[in-house]
Amino acid sequence: GESVGLHLPTLSVQEGDNSIINCAYSNSASDYFIWYKQESGKGPQFIIDIRSNMDKRQGQRVTVLLNKTVKHLSLQIAATQPGDSAVYFCAENTQTNAGKSTFGDGTTLTVKP
Amino acid sequence: DTGVSQDPRHKITKRGQNVTFRCDPISEHNRLYWYRQTLGQGPEFLTYFQNEAQLEKSRLLSDRFSAERPKGSFSTLEIQRTEQGDSAMYLCASSSSGSPRLFFGEGSRLTVL
């Protein structure tokens, strides 16, 4: 069935280091992927997205990589800051499911000062 | 604040009671979504509207759940005869038609005793 999953439920990094959060998906028809950040007590917040015709997209301090061959998605955060501590979700979408996204279970990122 | 707003933020109820949540989306967005999130999990899709039309409902949505968006603006999610298993965060999101990027509210946390 369709699922989006993350490799590790938790990740702890030192402030200033780079963070890499991984996600595996199983629906080969997925053509749009989004990373969200959710802070405690808040709703998920959009970080960055990527379409299936791309393999890399960069934002401010964040980069998303897509490997369709192995159905793998990653989020790289450069120079991780304490404010980056949150739960990160990957979500996938297909044109046939244009009205909804399927979310993975999340990786909790903790940034140590 | 012109983001997605949800009310109430917290609701504690006894099993068997009915509860209703309200969501006000971003005004220019014509799509509105309801998701449910339990602790440690990613958001699960429940239903979505395009304008006032409810276009899709998840199999997770039992007949005790009903959602409306009567004028294509705000939406309500009602849960009848609540059960302890309904305890969760109910998230509302909105988007522009054709964009999978979701803008979430802060959520309504339901606790059923």
Side-chain angles (χ1 to χ4, degrees):
Chain A
E2 179 183 293
S3 68
V4 180
L6 291 167
H7 291 309
L8 292 173
T10 61
L11 177 65
S12 182
V13 300
Q14 284 293 139
E15 181 178 357
D17 287 351
N18 296 335
S19 303
I20 299 176
I21 300 172
N22 295 303
C23 177
Y25 65 95
S26 60
N27 187 352
S28 56
S30 296
D31 54 15
Y32 196 95
F33 302 89
I34 307 171
W35 282 99
Y36 290 89
K37 172 186 179 183
Q38 187 173 26
E39 297 177 64
S40 181
K42 297 186 176 181
Q45 180 182 19
F46 172 89
I47 302 173
I48 191 167
D49 56 7
I50 188 168
R51 294 192 179 276
S52 59
N53 61 355
M54 303 169 68
D55 52 22
K56 180 178 180 179
R57 192 169 187 209
Q58 288 185 291
Q60 188 176 12
R61 281 201 308 118
V62 294
T63 301
V64 56
L65 299 177
L66 175 63
N67 185 332
K68 295 182 289 293
T69 302
V70 294
K71 299 198 193 96
H72 182 268
L73 189 69
S74 69
L75 176 71
Q76 300 178 2
I77 305 173
T80 315
Q81 302 169 358
D84 295 327
S85 293
V87 182
Y88 290 82
F89 294 98
C90 61
E92 61 89 11
N93 205 295
T94 66
Q95 290 205 359
T96 57
N97 290 334
K100 68 181 186 184
S101 291
T102 300
F103 286 77
D105 285 338
T107 290
T108 300
L109 175 65
T110 302
V111 181
K112 297 178 288 186
Chain B
D1 188 342
T2 57
V4 178
S5 62
Q6 293 188 242
D7 183 71
R9 293 291 311 280
H10 304 275
K11 179 71 177 178
I12 300 174
T13 191
K14 293 182 179 178
R15 188 175 52 189
Q17 298 295 304
N18 299 342
V19 296
T20 299
F21 301 115
R22 175 180 169 125
C23 172
D24 287 88
I26 293 171
S27 57
E28 57 266 32
H29 287 174
N30 59 351
R31 285 189 172 175
L32 185 149
Y33 309 78
W34 286 99
Y35 282 79
R36 178 170 63 191
Q37 186 177 30
T38 53
L39 198 62
Q41 306 290 315
E44 293 178 302
F45 170 80
L46 293 179
T47 187
Y48 92 98
F49 294 82
Q50 180 153 311
N51 301 313
E52 65 275 8
Q54 188 173 17
L55 296 187
E56 187 173 347
K57 291 193 292 185
S58 166
R59 289 168 295 174
L60 296 174
L61 212 62
S62 80
D63 56 8
R64 296 184 297 105
F65 287 69
S66 62
E68 294 183 342
R69 194 183 183 197
K71 297 180 180 178
S73 55
F74 74 91
S75 175
T76 57
L77 176 69
E78 181 183 18
I79 308 174
Q80 295 182 325
R81 305 181 302 281
T82 52
E83 302 173 356
Q84 288 184 324
D86 297 331
S87 295
M89 176 76 84
Y90 290 85
L91 292 164
C92 177
S94 67
S95 75
S96 299
S97 182
S99 171
R101 177 179 171 178
L102 300 176
F103 292 78
F104 283 90
E106 305 275 77
S108 292
R109 180 168 295 283
L110 173 65
T111 301
V112 181
L113 302 176

